[in-house]
Amino acid sequence: MVFGRSTLRLSLYAALITVLLALSNLFVAFESRTVLTVVKDAAGEVVFAGLSFSQLSLYIALVAAGFVAARQIATRGVLSALVNGVIAGLIVGAGLALLIVFTEAVDVRFVFRNFQPLSRSALYLGQADAGAAITALLILSAVLGGVGGLMTQLSARVGRVVLGGISALAIFGVLQSQIDKVMTLSDAVTLALAFGGAYFAVRVSNTHNVRTRLLIGVGVGFGIALIMAGLAAFTGMERGTILRGAGSLEPTLLNLPLQGAFHVGVFALILMLVGAAGAVARDAGRLLHDGAWYLIAITLMLGVLSSQRGFSPITAGVVVAIMCAVLWILPPIAGTPNAQGVGTTSSATSRRTLYLLGLVILLALPGFIGLSLSNTLNLMMIYIIMGVGMNVMIGYAGLLDLGYVASFAIGAYTTGLLTTPSMITCGGITPDEIKNGGLIVSEVCTGLLTFWEAWPIAILVSAFVGMGLGVPVLRLRGDYLAIVTLGFGEIINRLVNSSTFKPLLGGPQGINNIPVPTLNLSFINPAWNSQLASSNEIYYLFLFTVAVGVLVVLRLANTRLGRAWRALRDDEDVAEATGIHLVGAKLLAFGISSAFSGMGGALFGASLQGIYPNSFTLNVSIFVLCLVIVGGMGSIPAVFVGAFVLIGFPEVARELQDYRLLAFGVLLVVAMLSKPEGILPPRPPKLSEHARPKTAPAAGD
């Protein structure tokens, strides 16, 4: 039982970080942010005072300090871990106590201008004076630090469950206002019954034939569809019924059987597909198997959240219980195809079924989420498109491009110039001259293009400009290449912001009134003519673009060019010695990568119906590079994971205000420390998977 130097050092680091967070007003700013709502009894008396995000942050900081400090001596026994955790918690508590005393005596606003009195924060623990607050804080610090120390004695499985439960409580508590109206509990339970019922029915049957499994899954899904459709018809969907509940959100999925025979068929088809996915999930590999179950768990948690008003202790308990149950059950029930005697054909069929289910979910998603989440998804998909292109550069070819935003801007501005009145479309006449001269746009600007006509031109222009940049930097590698491309990106930003080119590019005002994409199929049906103006409508264009881009890059990765890129990444000299044309491989990497960036820029301008120079800064290149590295270089699925972690979560967490970037930084640091190779790195290829059985020689050969 020794309190080591490393433990003391880590405790002091934790105390310093916590004090800096307190000085940055984190504990004051989040005191009004509710995680758990107040609970009152029938007489109006407060039964539960609620839990603010400020309190939750303090508790997590103290537990984390005890855990990190005691982890160094975790093998020395429970008592040693407990003592070290308590001491670590007391050190952090003492640092906060000294801060309370110091800020009571000295006005620190001469350095921290926005500093607010700590008496408004969770550090006072509801006490009226500083002395009582310090006493309560030290006691709480010792207790929670000891809890953190004891957590080091938990097994890896139990620790994962505890961490998952705490994470679910924090994430759903903070984001409850964003995600409380996504899906009703009845819809979530229906999907979970179809998936889980088929999954366990297949396990009980113990069959390895993929067709039999699919039939079982389809049958279970169809049975659940009949049962739930019957319940919906019998009870109805009025508020207060067993399927609707008391919530204001009306079920989307269970409303289908009440809308006619066609919708009943759609309802049954959806559940049969979900059942088929559940039946083959165990054969699809560990990643897809666990991902499917996590998706079902999140669906149930969203349903529970929408069924209650606010994030009450009961709701929080159910959400944490669902997450803990999934984390506890998944490792034992997960299996691998080889362990079950399942062939590669069965595994491929299982993966395709889950991919099909994922596609159906993505197609139906706008019907469940609001405009805010739709905007977040659209932004994520823009970065996914650019991330796929960046992956060609850095993941496959090993070329570091920090001027990636230049192609993004070129694609956006090309689309804007070709679809709006400009010097290009109006024969050299500027928009100001048209406005001041009273000219008619339709008569002067005869070169206006639609989005669909300008989009491929924007992609090609971006690709050729990218290849043009690649010509003078062919001999540069590593940091030197990054510096040159960084300079190119800054040059493009200065050009679009320059007053010299304002008649053409609009200067700081950018380009406005860019037309949205229009689907005009009136030659088939006069009613099929609509504009993709809203977030939910243009979402499908983003989804289609992502799907096509991913397919193109996956096909390229397995071609001769893709293998040349990977050889180039590993060693240019060896690649050249083996006969690879370095100039051609590098220029194609620059061109294809820039084409994806220009494709995203064109969609960006059309979705916002306007572009401005401030949208094309170095930060865009940094974000794209970060999501590729954090996700895993050279892996396409990793781009999706990186976009969710670094783009999706910070966007949804905008309610954290100024601390959103702090959360982003913490996520980035944690991801890099825990997964330096990326969250989802590419799996090393195995020669056995590429081997083909040799055909037996014919008789007489």
Side-chain angles (χ1 to χ4, degrees):
M1 187 176 64
V2 180
F3 188 75
R5 293 182 180 178
S6 61
T7 306
L8 177 61
R9 184 178 68 254
L10 292 172
S11 302
L12 291 175
Y13 287 158
L16 178 61
I17 293 172
T18 309
V19 168
L20 289 176
L21 290 177
L23 285 171
S24 68
N25 279 335
L26 183 140
F27 295 111
V28 176
F30 289 154
E31 187 61 28
S32 59
R33 178 69 59 194
T34 302
V35 175
L36 298 180
T37 56
V38 179
V39 178
K40 298 181 180 180
D41 58 16
E45 298 292 332
V46 176
V47 178
F48 177 72
L51 178 69
S52 67
F53 188 64
S54 175
Q55 293 172 307
L56 181 62
S57 301
L58 176 62
Y59 301 158
I60 291 177
L62 294 173
V63 172
F67 178 83
V68 172
R71 192 178 183 183
Q72 304 296 320
I73 45 86
T75 58
R76 298 181 183 178
V78 176
L79 184 58
S80 180
L82 175 61
V83 171
N84 280 266
V86 169
I87 295 176
L90 282 173
I91 290 175
V92 176
L96 294 174
L98 290 175
L99 180 64
I100 291 175
V101 173
F102 182 76
T103 54
E104 287 286 336
V106 179
D107 186 1
V108 298
R109 285 180 292 180
F110 69 96
V111 177
F112 301 93
R113 296 184 177 181
N114 297 322
F115 181 78
Q116 299 292 327
L118 295 178
S119 56
R120 305 177 185 177
S121 71
L123 298 182
Y124 266 63
L125 299 174
Q127 304 298 320
D129 60 282
I134 290 173
T135 303
L137 180 60
L138 291 175
I139 295 174
L140 179 67
S141 301
V143 172
L144 293 183
V147 171
L150 291 176
M151 287 179 62
T152 62
Q153 303 300 302
L154 300 176
S155 65
R157 184 180 177 189
V158 175
R160 184 170 59 250
V161 170
V162 172
L163 180 61
I166 295 174
S167 301
L169 174 64
I171 292 173
F172 279 84
V174 174
L175 305 181
Q176 56 182 293
S177 62
Q178 296 275 0
I179 58 177
D180 63 340
K181 300 297 181 185
V182 175
M183 177 174 287
T184 62
L185 182 58
S186 56
D187 282 348
V189 170
T190 301
L191 294 173
L193 286 175
F195 184 90
Y199 182 90
F200 289 106
V202 166
R203 285 181 63 90
V204 171
S205 67
N206 199 27
T207 178
H208 299 309
N209 185 281
V210 65
R211 292 183 180 179
T212 305
R213 289 179 174 230
L214 285 172
L215 286 175
I216 293 175
V218 169
V220 171
F222 184 72
I224 297 296
L226 290 179
I227 294 172
M228 299 307 294
L231 283 175
F234 179 74
T235 62
M237 287 295 157
E238 302 296 329
R239 182 177 296 184
T241 57
I242 187 173
L243 295 180
R244 170 80 178 267
S248 60
L249 187 63
E250 190 173 351
T252 300
L253 192 61
L254 284 177
N255 257 338
L256 291 176
L258 305 180
Q259 298 177 20
F262 173 77
H263 293 86
V264 171
V266 173
F267 176 72
L269 183 62
I270 292 173
L271 291 191
M272 285 190 291
L273 177 59
V274 173
V280 299
R282 198 164 183 242
D283 300 342
R286 185 63 180 268
L287 180 64
L288 287 176
H289 171 272
D290 290 2
W293 272 110
Y294 284 132
L295 182 61
I296 292 296
I298 292 173
T299 301
L300 283 173
M301 288 187 281
L302 290 173
V304 171
L305 190 61
S306 69
S307 66
Q308 302 289 327
R309 294 187 61 185
F311 202 53
S312 65
I314 296 177
T315 305
V318 175
V319 166
V320 172
I322 292 173
M323 178 57 73
C324 291
V326 171
L327 291 171
W328 180 263
I329 294 173
L330 272 184
I333 67 173
T336 58
N338 293 335
Q340 303 174 51
V342 180
T344 56
T345 303
S346 176
S347 299
T349 303
S350 302
R351 287 193 295 270
R352 291 192 195 102
T353 305
L354 287 178
Y355 290 149
L356 180 59
L357 175 62
L359 178 61
V360 171
I361 291 173
L362 290 174
L363 290 174
L365 206 54
F368 291 91
I369 60 178
L371 290 178
S372 176
L373 290 180
S374 290
N375 288 328
T376 301
L377 282 176
N378 292 343
L379 182 62
M380 282 178 55
M381 285 191 281
I382 288 177
Y383 275 93
I384 287 172
I385 294 168
M386 292 193 292
V388 169
M390 176 69 86
N391 220 6
V392 171
M393 284 284 287
I394 188 173
Y396 292 154
L399 304 172
L400 182 56
D401 184 3
L402 290 183
Y404 199 58
V405 67
S407 301
F408 184 59
I410 290 170
Y413 271 90
T414 301
T415 304
L417 290 173
L418 295 178
T419 57
T420 61
S422 65
M423 294 180 66
I424 295 177
T425 57
C426 301
I429 302 176
T430 65
D432 290 338
E433 291 174 346
I434 295 175
K435 182 179 179 181
N436 297 332
L439 302 177
I440 300 176
V441 173
S442 59
E443 295 180 356
V444 177
C445 304
T446 57
L448 287 173
L449 302 180
T450 65
F451 170 80
W452 304 108
E453 295 168 337
W455 196 19
I457 297 176
I459 296 172
L460 289 175
V461 170
S462 300
F464 283 117
V465 172
M467 294 177 70
L469 170 65
V471 172
V473 300
L474 286 175
R475 295 184 179 273
L476 298 180
R477 304 180 186 179
D479 299 338
Y480 300 100
L481 176 62
I483 292 172
V484 172
T485 54
L486 171 63
F488 178 67
E490 289 301 304
I491 289 172
I492 295 298
N493 181 264
R494 296 300 186 274
L495 287 178
V496 299
N497 216 349
S498 172
S499 299
T500 305
F501 295 95
K502 184 177 180 180
L504 175 64
L505 303 177
Q509 286 75 34
I511 300 176
N512 298 311
N513 301 320
I514 297 177
V516 297
T518 302
L519 283 178
N520 187 1
L521 301 177
S522 56
F523 60 91
I524 301 176
N525 188 326
W528 292 357
N529 185 6
S530 61
Q531 291 184 336
L532 305 181
S534 68
S535 299
N536 287 342
E537 293 170 341
I538 204 169
Y539 163 87
Y540 293 103
L541 178 58
F542 283 120
L543 185 61
F544 171 78
T545 307
V546 168
V548 172
V550 168
L551 288 175
V552 169
V553 172
L554 286 177
R555 294 294 296 174
L556 283 174
N558 296 319
T559 62
R560 180 186 179 90
L561 177 61
R563 292 189 291 272
W565 283 337
R566 288 191 288 271
L568 180 69
R569 175 194 61 194
D570 294 335
D571 195 309
E572 287 190 17
D573 297 329
V574 174
E576 187 176 20
T578 58
I580 294 175
H581 193 265
L582 295 186
V583 174
K586 283 188 175 182
L587 289 181
L588 284 174
F590 271 102
I592 293 173
S593 176
S594 300
F596 275 94
S597 185
M599 183 190 302
L603 287 173
F604 176 76
S607 62
L608 294 183
Q609 302 179 40
I611 48 178
Y612 307 95
N614 292 336
S615 301
F616 307 103
T617 61
L618 176 62
N619 288 340
V620 176
S621 298
I622 298 298
F623 272 96
V624 178
L625 180 63
C626 285
L627 71 89
V628 172
I629 295 176
V630 170
M633 290 189 295
S635 172
I636 296 300
V639 175
F640 290 81
V641 176
F644 173 77
V645 172
L646 299 183
I647 305 300
F649 181 77
E651 282 298 316
V652 175
R654 278 191 176 273
E655 292 188 355
L656 299 182
Q657 300 171 356
D658 296 335
Y659 299 94
R660 185 171 60 93
L661 293 179
L662 175 64
F664 171 81
V666 171
L667 282 174
L668 194 61
V669 171
V670 170
M672 287 290 92
L673 289 177
S674 59
K675 289 281 190 177
E677 72 283 2
I679 298 175
L680 200 64
R683 185 169 59 92
K686 298 180 180 179
L687 294 179
S688 59
E689 296 179 357
H690 298 284
R692 295 289 185 270
K694 294 182 179 179
T695 306
D701 288 352

